[in-house]
């Protein structure tokens, strides 16, 4: 499955079940927040149909039914630009598609989040996901957000968005409290 091409450092992986054991070993160094969310203490597993990765250049292109899984988090795309830090850990995973899809389970409350956009940038150093172009983020608890761009901090739950539409479900408490005892 491994084919040498033009130099000793340029490799093509075709077809890919799991894209390189090499990537699984190198893609895990994270910040303080990663110590809390167990998803980010796990290796990233990548599946795709095709990869063109240069081990010396620190990245490459991956395409065709791409799925990256890290714990409960998944990113599904048509094409991905993978960028590594000098120590070969993951720096950015930049995904494009029609749309790119994202899902994750909140480790604190079990809430399932789903997202989609034309472009998703996963910054593995800061654990921030940026959804751009018809960005949509929703949860199984009825929360829903749509905007051109949504910036989502994966471990703190903070969200930034401009020109946004937000839906917050009603409270389960359906009666008022007495005004005076």
């Amino acid at each position: 499955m491994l084919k040498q091409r033009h130099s000793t450092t340029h490799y093509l992986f075709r077809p890919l079940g799991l894209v390189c054991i090499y990537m699984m070993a190198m893609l895990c160094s994270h910040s303080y927040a990663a110590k809390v969310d167990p998803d980010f203490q796990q290796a990233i597993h990548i599946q795709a149909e095709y990869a063109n990765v240069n081990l010396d250049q620190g990245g490459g292109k991956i395409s065709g039914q791409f799925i990256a899984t890290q714990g409960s988090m998944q990113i599904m795309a048509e094409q991905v630009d993978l960028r590594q830090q000098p120590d070969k850990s993951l720096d950015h995973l930049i995904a494009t598609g029609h749309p790119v899809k994202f899902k994750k389970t909140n480790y604190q409350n079990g809430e399932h989040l789903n997202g989609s956009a034309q472009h998703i940038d996963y910054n593995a150093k800061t654990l921030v996901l940026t959804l751009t172009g018809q960005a949509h983020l929703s949860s199984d608890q009825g929360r829903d957000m749509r905007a051109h761009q949504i910036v989502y901090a994966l471990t703190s739950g903070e969200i930034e968005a401009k020109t946004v539409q937000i839906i917050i479900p009603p409270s389960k408490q359906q009666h008022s409290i007495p005004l005076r005892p």
Side-chain angles (χ1 to χ4, degrees):
M1 287 214 177
L2 194 60
K3 210 163 66 167
Q4 191 167 353
R5 183 183 194 205
H6 304 301
S7 76
T8 59
T9 59
H10 188 99
Y11 298 95
L12 286 178
F13 300 87
R14 182 183 266 249
L16 299 170
L18 287 173
V19 173
C20 343
I21 293 174
Y22 144 78
M23 286 186 187
M24 290 170 31
M26 71 176 179
L27 297 179
C28 264
S29 76
H30 297 290
S31 66
Y32 163 78
K35 294 177 182 138
V36 178
D37 189 332
D39 284 350
F40 302 110
Q41 295 176 350
Q42 298 184 39
I44 297 174
H45 299 262
I46 297 174
Q47 293 180 313
E49 293 176 354
Y50 179 80
N52 184 342
V53 180
N54 187 313
L55 303 177
D56 287 341
Q57 297 291 321
K61 302 262 186 222
I62 302 172
S63 61
Q65 297 181 354
F66 172 89
I67 300 173
T69 305
Q70 187 175 24
S72 72
M73 184 176 75
Q74 280 192 337
I75 298 173
M76 296 147 285
E78 295 171 15
Q79 184 169 333
V80 171
D81 183 10
L82 181 74
R83 297 181 187 164
Q84 299 169 279
Q85 297 179 48
D87 69 357
K88 303 298 183 210
S89 62
L90 182 64
D91 185 48
H92 280 266
L93 192 144
I94 302 165
T96 55
H98 301 287
V100 178
K101 294 182 181 179
F102 155 78
K103 65 181 179 178
K104 181 174 181 352
T105 302
N106 181 313
Y107 73 100
Q108 293 174 323
N109 63 13
E111 180 179 23
H112 297 285
L113 300 171
N114 291 296
S116 64
Q118 298 302 311
H119 177 94
I120 291 181
D121 182 341
Y122 169 46
N123 184 328
K125 292 185 307 188
T126 62
L127 300 176
V128 171
L129 202 67
T130 303
L131 297 86
T132 305
Q134 299 176 0
H136 180 219
L137 190 61
S138 63
S139 80
D140 63 347
Q141 295 180 2
R143 296 177 222 186
D144 193 79
M145 178 180 290
R146 295 178 189 272
H148 172 69
Q149 183 176 67
I150 299 171
V151 180
Y152 175 49
L154 292 164
T155 56
S156 71
E158 293 178 77
I159 297 173
E160 288 183 4
K162 290 184 179 177
T163 315
V164 64
Q165 174 188 8
I166 299 173
I167 297 172
I168 301 172
S171 169
K172 292 180 182 177
Q173 181 180 353
Q174 296 296 316
H175 62 280
S176 62
I177 60 172
L179 296 177
R180 295 193 176 131

